[in-house]
Short mmCIF file of all heavy atoms in Angstrom, two decimals:
data_model
loop_
_atom_site.label_atom_id
_atom_site.label_comp_id
_atom_site.label_asym_id
_atom_site.label_seq_id
_atom_site.Cartn_x
_atom_site.Cartn_y
_atom_site.Cartn_z
N THR W 1 4.88 -22.97 12.32
CA THR W 1 5.37 -22.89 13.69
C THR W 1 5.18 -21.49 14.27
O THR W 1 4.91 -20.53 13.56
CB THR W 1 6.84 -23.31 13.78
OG1 THR W 1 7.63 -22.46 12.93
CG2 THR W 1 7.01 -24.76 13.35
N VAL W 2 5.36 -21.37 15.56
CA VAL W 2 5.24 -20.14 16.36
C VAL W 2 4.02 -19.30 16.00
O VAL W 2 4.13 -18.09 15.77
CB VAL W 2 6.54 -19.29 16.32
CG1 VAL W 2 7.66 -20.05 16.98
CG2 VAL W 2 6.93 -18.89 14.89
N PRO W 3 2.81 -19.87 15.98
CA PRO W 3 1.62 -19.07 15.71
C PRO W 3 1.38 -18.03 16.79
O PRO W 3 1.69 -18.26 17.97
CB PRO W 3 0.49 -20.11 15.67
CG PRO W 3 0.99 -21.24 16.52
CD PRO W 3 2.47 -21.29 16.26
N ARG W 4 0.80 -16.90 16.39
CA ARG W 4 0.55 -15.81 17.32
C ARG W 4 -0.70 -15.07 16.87
O ARG W 4 -0.90 -14.85 15.68
CB ARG W 4 1.75 -14.85 17.34
CG ARG W 4 1.68 -13.74 18.36
CD ARG W 4 2.92 -12.88 18.26
NE ARG W 4 3.03 -11.92 19.34
CZ ARG W 4 4.04 -11.08 19.51
NH1 ARG W 4 5.06 -11.10 18.66
NH2 ARG W 4 4.05 -10.23 20.52
N TYR W 5 -1.55 -14.67 17.84
CA TYR W 5 -2.80 -14.00 17.53
C TYR W 5 -3.02 -12.81 18.45
O TYR W 5 -2.60 -12.82 19.61
CB TYR W 5 -3.99 -14.95 17.66
CG TYR W 5 -3.94 -16.11 16.72
CD1 TYR W 5 -3.37 -17.32 17.10
CD2 TYR W 5 -4.46 -16.01 15.43
CE1 TYR W 5 -3.32 -18.39 16.23
CE2 TYR W 5 -4.41 -17.08 14.55
CZ TYR W 5 -3.84 -18.27 14.96
OH TYR W 5 -3.79 -19.33 14.09
N ALA W 6 -3.71 -11.81 17.93
CA ALA W 6 -4.15 -10.71 18.77
C ALA W 6 -5.17 -11.22 19.77
O ALA W 6 -5.96 -12.13 19.48
CB ALA W 6 -4.75 -9.60 17.91
N ASP W 7 -5.18 -10.63 20.97
CA ASP W 7 -6.12 -11.06 22.00
C ASP W 7 -7.57 -10.95 21.53
O ASP W 7 -8.42 -11.76 21.92
CB ASP W 7 -5.93 -10.23 23.27
CG ASP W 7 -4.65 -10.57 24.00
OD1 ASP W 7 -4.08 -11.65 23.75
OD2 ASP W 7 -4.23 -9.77 24.84
N SER W 8 -7.86 -9.98 20.69
CA SER W 8 -9.23 -9.74 20.25
C SER W 8 -9.78 -10.84 19.35
O SER W 8 -10.99 -10.96 19.19
CB SER W 8 -9.33 -8.39 19.53
OG SER W 8 -8.46 -8.35 18.40
N VAL W 9 -8.89 -11.66 18.75
CA VAL W 9 -9.34 -12.70 17.83
C VAL W 9 -8.96 -14.10 18.30
O VAL W 9 -9.36 -15.09 17.67
CB VAL W 9 -8.81 -12.48 16.40
CG1 VAL W 9 -9.15 -11.08 15.91
CG2 VAL W 9 -7.30 -12.72 16.34
N LYS W 10 -8.21 -14.21 19.37
CA LYS W 10 -7.73 -15.50 19.85
C LYS W 10 -8.90 -16.43 20.16
O LYS W 10 -9.85 -16.04 20.83
CB LYS W 10 -6.85 -15.29 21.08
CG LYS W 10 -5.98 -16.48 21.45
CD LYS W 10 -5.01 -16.12 22.57
CE LYS W 10 -4.09 -14.98 22.15
NZ LYS W 10 -3.12 -14.62 23.22
N GLY W 11 -8.82 -17.65 19.63
CA GLY W 11 -9.89 -18.62 19.81
C GLY W 11 -10.96 -18.56 18.75
O GLY W 11 -11.78 -19.48 18.65
N ARG W 12 -10.98 -17.50 17.94
CA ARG W 12 -11.96 -17.36 16.87
C ARG W 12 -11.33 -17.44 15.48
O ARG W 12 -11.97 -17.92 14.55
CB ARG W 12 -12.70 -16.02 16.99
CG ARG W 12 -13.49 -15.86 18.28
CD ARG W 12 -14.37 -14.60 18.24
NE ARG W 12 -13.57 -13.38 18.14
CZ ARG W 12 -13.66 -12.51 17.14
NH1 ARG W 12 -14.53 -12.71 16.15
NH2 ARG W 12 -12.91 -11.42 17.14
N PHE W 13 -10.11 -16.94 15.34
CA PHE W 13 -9.42 -16.91 14.04
C PHE W 13 -8.27 -17.91 14.04
O PHE W 13 -7.63 -18.15 15.08
CB PHE W 13 -8.84 -15.52 13.76
CG PHE W 13 -9.86 -14.44 13.50
CD1 PHE W 13 -11.21 -14.63 13.72
CD2 PHE W 13 -9.43 -13.20 13.02
CE1 PHE W 13 -12.14 -13.63 13.49
CE2 PHE W 13 -10.34 -12.19 12.77
CZ PHE W 13 -11.70 -12.40 13.00
N THR W 14 -7.97 -18.46 12.86
CA THR W 14 -6.87 -19.41 12.70
C THR W 14 -6.12 -19.13 11.40
O THR W 14 -6.74 -19.03 10.34
CB THR W 14 -7.37 -20.86 12.68
OG1 THR W 14 -8.13 -21.14 13.86
CG2 THR W 14 -6.18 -21.82 12.62
N VAL W 15 -4.80 -19.01 11.49
CA VAL W 15 -3.94 -18.85 10.33
C VAL W 15 -3.42 -20.22 9.92
O VAL W 15 -2.86 -20.93 10.75
CB VAL W 15 -2.77 -17.89 10.62
CG1 VAL W 15 -1.80 -17.84 9.44
CG2 VAL W 15 -3.29 -16.50 10.95
N SER W 16 -3.59 -20.59 8.64
CA SER W 16 -3.22 -21.92 8.18
C SER W 16 -2.46 -21.85 6.86
O SER W 16 -3.08 -21.72 5.79
CB SER W 16 -4.47 -22.79 8.01
OG SER W 16 -5.19 -22.91 9.22
N PRO W 17 -1.14 -21.95 6.90
CA PRO W 17 -0.38 -22.04 5.64
C PRO W 17 -0.59 -23.38 4.96
O PRO W 17 -0.77 -24.40 5.63
CB PRO W 17 1.07 -21.88 6.09
CG PRO W 17 1.01 -21.34 7.49
CD PRO W 17 -0.25 -21.90 8.07
N ASP W 18 -0.58 -23.38 3.64
CA ASP W 18 -0.72 -24.60 2.85
C ASP W 18 0.34 -24.58 1.78
O ASP W 18 0.18 -23.93 0.74
CB ASP W 18 -2.12 -24.70 2.24
CG ASP W 18 -2.38 -26.04 1.57
OD1 ASP W 18 -1.41 -26.70 1.16
OD2 ASP W 18 -3.55 -26.42 1.46
N GLY W 19 1.44 -25.29 2.02
CA GLY W 19 2.55 -25.29 1.09
C GLY W 19 2.21 -25.86 -0.27
O GLY W 19 2.73 -25.42 -1.28
N ALA W 20 1.32 -26.86 -0.31
CA ALA W 20 0.95 -27.49 -1.57
C ALA W 20 0.24 -26.51 -2.50
O ALA W 20 0.31 -26.65 -3.72
CB ALA W 20 0.07 -28.71 -1.31
N LYS W 21 -0.46 -25.53 -1.93
CA LYS W 21 -1.21 -24.56 -2.73
C LYS W 21 -0.55 -23.18 -2.75
O LYS W 21 -1.11 -22.24 -3.32
CB LYS W 21 -2.64 -24.43 -2.21
CG LYS W 21 -3.44 -25.71 -2.33
CD LYS W 21 -4.87 -25.51 -1.87
CE LYS W 21 -5.69 -26.77 -2.06
NZ LYS W 21 -7.09 -26.58 -1.62
N ASN W 22 0.60 -23.06 -2.11
CA ASN W 22 1.29 -21.77 -2.01
C ASN W 22 0.35 -20.67 -1.54
O ASN W 22 0.30 -19.57 -2.10
CB ASN W 22 1.93 -21.39 -3.35
CG ASN W 22 3.39 -21.81 -3.42
OD1 ASN W 22 3.73 -22.94 -3.11
ND2 ASN W 22 4.26 -20.89 -3.83
N SER W 23 -0.40 -20.98 -0.48
CA SER W 23 -1.38 -20.05 0.05
C SER W 23 -1.38 -20.10 1.57
O SER W 23 -0.98 -21.09 2.17
CB SER W 23 -2.79 -20.37 -0.46
OG SER W 23 -2.88 -20.24 -1.86
N VAL W 24 -1.84 -19.01 2.17
CA VAL W 24 -2.09 -18.98 3.59
C VAL W 24 -3.52 -18.49 3.80
O VAL W 24 -3.95 -17.53 3.15
CB VAL W 24 -1.06 -18.10 4.34
CG1 VAL W 24 -1.08 -16.66 3.83
CG2 VAL W 24 -1.31 -18.14 5.84
N TYR W 25 -4.25 -19.16 4.69
CA TYR W 25 -5.66 -18.86 4.90
C TYR W 25 -5.87 -18.23 6.28
O TYR W 25 -5.13 -18.49 7.22
CB TYR W 25 -6.50 -20.13 4.79
CG TYR W 25 -6.31 -20.84 3.48
CD1 TYR W 25 -5.47 -21.94 3.37
CD2 TYR W 25 -6.97 -20.40 2.33
CE1 TYR W 25 -5.29 -22.59 2.16
CE2 TYR W 25 -6.80 -21.05 1.12
CZ TYR W 25 -5.96 -22.14 1.04
OH TYR W 25 -5.78 -22.77 -0.17
#
C-alpha cells in the first residue's frame, strides 16, 4: 500500500514486495 516514487523514475520503476519470498523487488 501507499506506493511512492521519485519524479525522475515515475512510470519507469516499480517496487513490488513479495511476502511469499520475503523479498522486495
Side-chain angles (χ1 to χ4, degrees):
T1 58
V2 295
R4 185 180 189 178
Y5 298 93
D7 288 342
S8 59
V9 307
K10 197 172 300 181
R12 299 188 297 120
F13 291 11
T14 305
V15 174
S16 302
D18 188 335
K21 297 183 177 180
N22 265 48
S23 297
V24 59
Y25 304 99

